[in-house]
Amino acid sequence: MFKHAQLESVKAWIGDPAHGALPLHARIQRALRQLILDGALDVGKPLPASRALARSLGVSRDTVESAYSQLHAEGFIERRVGSGSFVSERAQASSRRGTAPRTGPQRESVRLSQRGTSILQGGGVRDFVAPRPFAPGVPETRSFPLRTWERLERQVLKDYGTQALRHSPPQGVEPLRRAIADYVNLERGARATPERVLVLTSSQQALALCATVLLDAGDRIFIEDPVYHGARKAFDAAGLACVPVPLDDQGMQVARLHDAASPARAVFLTPSHQFPTGATLALDRRLAVIEWARQNQAWIIEDDYDSEFHYAGKPTACVQGLDPYDRTIYIGTFTKSLFPGLRIGYVVLPPQLVAPMTVARTLLDGHSASIPQLTLARFIEGGHFGAYVRAMRGVYADRLDVLAGLVRAHLADFVEPRVPAGGMQMPCVFTRDISERAVIDGAARVGIDLLGLTALHASTTHKAGFLMGFAAYTPDEMDIAVNALAGVLRALACR
């Protein structure tokens, strides 16, 4: 029979609420298995008879028999007719005899690769799963036409049946690639065909693909300064040497690419609404960067993450549509324009990159789910996407005006808003000496999410401040949050 301590250990294990989802026989089996693994039950040690153990645990004999049968099937015990059940010799290699039973999770140091260490130290890219004012880059989802989406999804399931449950082609389903090509050609002035579109899960995945497929570790890439943190982290994780290029009110100072002491293999741009400043890259600079890429046989990585939301006239045509040399990789996403849970982004590729990028994608996640792709294709083709974007463009423009007014009314003693011509977030810079970190931490304590500007800059000659997302928040919600933020700033200024 078990020692008293071993029996109590089994009782504690099966009574632990953390294991409550398991059937009773599985809890007993796992508890006994853990005693064997911990060395508390040595090789050859007899287990109690199933009837006796059932009586001690207050369960049926069948329950214990089921636990014993599973332990036998896994090789942890041997069952001898007429003799009983014993700990198997096969469990010897994995048991930890001579060590004390574990009292809690053990944390062991682990040796990561240089790339893994870089990714861990970089902290990854944090999504705002439950967004609070003023989390940037978060769209309004409460106004999404869910009934229309549900109707289109039912049509997909009716028309495709079980075919929609199969693997999608790694490049994406043809109806969606066709719809994307038609959309970016019409709305963004791109030069796209369905054959050049690669459907992905996100723009972040596109950045990671570009970093690993187009460039080798140690290669130089020009980036904007300040720059979108997700891009910088993707490039750093791939071991690239990021070379910051300063901005002005017309975007990246492209002339500096030609003046650089050493050439680069690529340049990363957010030309429609520079992240985080909101500046639009001037036409002459777009043409200049295209010429630079031609001369240096370099790549232009164009992230057009929220160009749908431009509030002062029509947005400038994308760089990809102006590039006759096929040196531009155009990245787009539906995460911002529709809803984050959709997880569909895309790239429009030069013809020579379609095969290598598609093959590389198969090593990451293989493909995107077919049903959302087919539903989105119909959402675009039916005109619903265009109508929704137009409606939200008006909503977001109004919310930007409201936020700018609230900041001027309540935060003017501390920050200056830099009102952008488009996008989903507004930068604010401090007009007095206040700790950016203290403001962000203080805001978080009162339910406000801000993204600091300092971490987005490579240079030290910049003004501290923060980004305020406005797309997902009503005027009333922003009013309450701005007043709470004003309280945080006043408290910090009085220290």
Side-chain angles (χ1 to χ4, degrees), residues 309 311 388-401:
F309 305 118
Y311 313 127
Y388 181 69
V389 166
R390 287 191 295 273
M392 298 315 294
R393 187 183 297 134
V395 170
Y396 293 173
D398 290 343
R399 291 182 178 182
L400 173 58
D401 289 343

Side-chain angles (χ1 to χ4, degrees), residues 71 103 141 147 247 281 329 390 432 456 468 477:
L71 287 169
T103 57
T141 56
R147 290 185 179 178
L247 309 172
L281 189 66
I329 296 96
R390 287 191 295 273
R432 57 194 298 180
L456 308 179
M468 302 181 76
E477 290 167 341

Side-chain angles (χ1 to χ4, degrees), residues 214-285:
L214 304 181
L215 303 161
D216 290 312
D219 282 347
R220 290 159 56 89
I221 179 171
F222 290 127
I223 61 171
E224 300 163 323
D225 184 21
V227 69
Y228 170 56
H229 52 291
R232 178 64 186 265
K233 291 183 177 184
F235 302 151
D236 285 343
L240 308 186
C242 295
V243 181
V245 180
L247 309 172
D248 57 26
D249 59 357
Q250 297 187 67
M252 176 185 276
Q253 297 177 20
V254 174
R256 297 194 180 219
L257 306 189
H258 297 278
D259 300 336
S262 300
R265 293 280 309 281
V267 59
F268 172 75
L269 296 169
T270 51
S272 293
H273 305 129
Q274 199 281 328
F275 189 97
T277 68
T280 297
L281 189 66
L283 176 60
D284 59 332
R285 298 187 183 185

Side-chain angles (χ1 to χ4, degrees), residues 264-333:
R265 293 280 309 281
V267 59
F268 172 75
L269 296 169
T270 51
S272 293
H273 305 129
Q274 199 281 328
F275 189 97
T277 68
T280 297
L281 189 66
L283 176 60
D284 59 332
R285 298 187 183 185
R286 293 173 185 243
L287 299 175
V289 76
I290 290 169
E291 181 59 21
W292 170 85
R294 182 194 69 81
Q295 291 177 4
N296 292 274
Q297 289 297 287
W299 299 108
I300 301 168
I301 303 173
E302 178 181 13
D303 187 356
D304 208 29
Y305 63 100
D306 67 358
S307 64
E308 290 87 1
F309 305 118
H310 197 83
Y311 313 127
K314 291 187 68 65
T316 308
C318 65
V319 172
Q320 192 269 356
L322 301 173
D323 179 7
Y325 311 114
D326 285 331
R327 306 299 306 177
T328 303
I329 296 96
Y330 176 89
I331 300 173
T333 179

